[in-house]
C-alpha cells in the first residue's frame, strides 16, 4: 500500500487541515493518556516549520449534540498549549459559517485546534455537504488519524477526496510497520490474539492464519473456540451465537494454539479463590479468567523462535492482579525478544504501559480497531483516498 506522504505534498505557505485523532481519555477536564496527541506532534511541527497555516480537526467522545460541553476540545487544547507554542483554540464548531470565518484568520505558523467535529451530526453521517464545508477551511489536508481510518466519516473518508491530501508521519509508520509485518515479515511470524470478543476478532484471526506461522490465542475469545470444540468452559464469558462460526477452526494443526491450562475462579472478582487446571478440567461453576503457567511456557517457547510478533488483546481479565499473570508474562517475553515486535489495542497498550515495557517494542500502533482492520486486509476508507495513483 503506497500512500501519498505529507513530505511530498506542496504545502509551503498553504493552509493545511490536519485530521488528527485527539479522542483521548480525559478525566475532570484533564487529559490522562496523551499517546495519540504525542504521535501527531511531528506532523504539526513539520507543517509549522514550513510556514503553513494549520487547522487541526478531531472528534472527542460520542457527544449527543453541540451542548455536550464535557466533550469540548478545550481540555485537549489546555494540554496541547503546554507542549506546543503557537497553538490556538477556536471554539467554533467545524462546518459552520463562523468556523469558516475563523479559519480565514489563521496566520502563518499558527496551529489552530477547532471544536469537536462530532458536535455536527454530518461528521459521523459522512455527509458530503458537511465535508465540503470543511474543505473550505484549507487548501489541502493531511490524515494523521490512523486510529479512525477504518471508519467512514466526513473528515476521514470524504474530505481527502475534496482537497489535495496525504498521510502524516504517524500514518506512514503504521502502514509501513503493519504492512511489512504481513507482506515481508522476518519469519517465523507469530501473532498473539486475546481480549474479549471473538465476534470482533474472528476476521483478523482468519486473515492472520493465512500469513502467520503461529497464531496464539488467549483471553475470553479463546473460550468460545474451546466451547465449539466440545471443551467444557463452565461459566466462562463466551459468545454463544459465535460458537457455530468458529467450529471450522482447526486446533489439530500446529498453527492455531489455544491455552492448555487456565486460571479459573468462581467469580470474576478480587479476592475470589483462583486455581490452575488443565483446560479440559473446568467445572460447571467456575470461569476461565487467564491462561495458565504451562500455556505461558508453551507460548514463550514459540515466541523465542519468532522473527516477527504481532500482539493484540490481553490473555485474561488482567484488570484484576490475580488474573494478570498470563498477560504480564507474555508482555515480558515479547518485550525481551530481538524480533520485530508490534502491539496494539487499548487494553493491550494499557497492560504494556503498566509494566513500563513500551520502549522495548519495535512499534506500538495507535490503532485498536483500525489495526485489526488493517491486518484483516480490509479496505480502509480513510486511507484509500490517499493511495498513490
Ligand atoms: P484490546 O483493547 O487490547 O484490543 P479487548 O478490548 O479485545 O483488548 O479486550 C480486553 C478485555 O478483555 C479486558 O478488559 C479483559 O478484562 C477482557 N478479558 C480478557 N480475557 C478475559 C476472560 N478470560 N474473561 C473475561 N474477560 C476477559
Ligand atoms: Mg479494548
Amino acid at each position: 500500500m503506497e500512500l501519498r506522504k505529507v513530505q511530498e505534498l506542496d504545502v509551503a505557505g498553504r493552509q493545511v487541515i490536519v485530521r488528527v485523532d485527539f479522542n483521548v481519555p480525559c478525566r475532570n477536564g484533564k487529559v490522562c493518556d496523551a499517546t495519540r496527541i504525542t504521535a501527531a506532534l511531528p506532523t504539526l511541527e513539520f507543517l509549522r516549520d514550513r510556514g503553513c497555516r494549520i487547522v487541526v480537526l478531531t472528534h472527542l467522545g460520542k457527544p449527543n449534540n453541540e451542548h455536550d460541553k464535557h466533550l469540548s476540545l478545550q481540555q485537549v487544547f489546555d494540554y496541547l498549549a503546554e507542549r506546543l507554542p503557537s497553538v490556538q483554540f477556536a471554539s467554533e464548531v467545524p462546518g459552520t459559517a463562523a468556523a469558516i470565518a475563523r479559519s480565514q484568520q489563521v496566520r502563518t505558523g499558527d496551529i489552530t485546534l477547532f471544536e469537536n467535529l462530532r458536535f455536527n451530526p454530518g461528521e459521523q453521517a459522512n455527509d458530503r455537504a458537511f465535508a465540503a464545508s470543511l474543505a473550505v477551511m484549507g487548501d489541502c489536508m493531511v490524515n494523521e488519524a490512523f486510529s479512525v481510518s477504518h471508519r467512514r466519516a466526513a473528515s476521514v473518508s470524504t474530505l481527502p477526496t475534496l482537497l489535495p491530501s496525504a498521510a502524516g508521519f504517524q500514518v506512514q509508520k503504521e502502514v509501513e510497520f503493519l504492512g511489512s509485518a504481513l507482506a515481508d515479515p522476518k519469519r517465523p511470524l507469530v501473532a498473539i490474539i486475546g481480549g474479549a470478543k471473538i465476534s470482533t476478532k474472528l476476521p483478523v484471526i482468519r486473515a492472520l492464519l493465512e500469513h502467520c506461522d503461529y497464531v496464539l490465542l488467549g483471553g475470553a475469545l479463546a473460550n468460545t473456540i474451546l466451547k465449539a470444540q466440545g471443551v467444557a468452559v463452565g461459566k466462562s464469558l463466551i459468545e454463544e451465537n459465535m460458537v457455530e462460526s468458529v467450529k471450522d477452526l482447526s486446533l489439530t494443526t500446529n498453527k492455531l494454539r489455544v491455552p492448555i491450562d487456565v486460571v479459573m475462579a468462581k467469580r470474576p472478582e478480587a479476592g475470589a479463590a483462583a486455581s490452575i487446571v488443565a483446560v479440559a478440567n473446568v467445572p460447571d461453576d467456575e470461569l476461565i479468567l487467564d491462561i495458565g503457567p504451562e500455556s505461558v511456557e508453551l507460548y514463550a517457547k514459540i515466541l523465542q523462535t519468532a522473527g516477527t510478533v504481532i500482539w493484540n488483546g490481553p490473555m485474561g481479565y488482567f484488570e484484576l492482579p490475580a488474573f494478570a499473570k498470563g498477560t504480564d508474562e507474555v508482555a515480558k517475553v515479547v518485550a525481551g525478544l530481538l524480533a520485530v515486535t508490534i502491539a496494539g489495542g487499548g487494553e493491550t497498550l494499557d497492560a504494556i504501559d503498566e509494566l513500563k515495557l513500551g520502549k522495548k517494542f519495535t512499534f506500538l500502533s495507535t490503532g485498536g480497531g483500525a489495526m485489526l482492520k488493517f491486518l484483516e486486509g480490509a479496505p480502509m476508507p480513510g486511507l484509500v483516498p490517499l493511495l498513490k495513483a
Side-chain angles (χ1 to χ4, degrees), residues 195-196 201 219-220 223 237 288-289 312-314 316-319 345-348:
K201 297 193 182 178
N223 299 341
L237 183 63
I288 299 173
L289 292 164
N312 166 272
Y317 188 14
F318 78 107
E319 288 89 345
E347 273 80 24
T348 310

Side-chain angles (χ1 to χ4, degrees), residues 15 54-58 66 69 71-78 80-81 86-107 110-117 119 137:
Q15 181 138 334
I54 304 160
V55 168
V56 181
L57 298 180
T58 181
E66 134 170 29
K69 284 300 174 220
L71 291 175
S72 168
L73 278 159
Q74 177 75 49
Q75 54 204 327
V76 172
F77 169 75
D78 293 341
L80 208 53
S86 60
V87 70
Q88 334 256 327
F89 184 60
S91 59
E92 290 82 1
V93 175
T96 58
I100 292 168
R102 176 67 189 261
S103 72
Q104 285 157 359
Q105 293 160 21
V106 179
R107 293 161 309 172
D110 279 355
I111 298 173
T112 305
L113 174 68
F114 277 76
E115 188 50 285
N116 197 340
L117 279 164
F119 283 173
M137 295 170 72

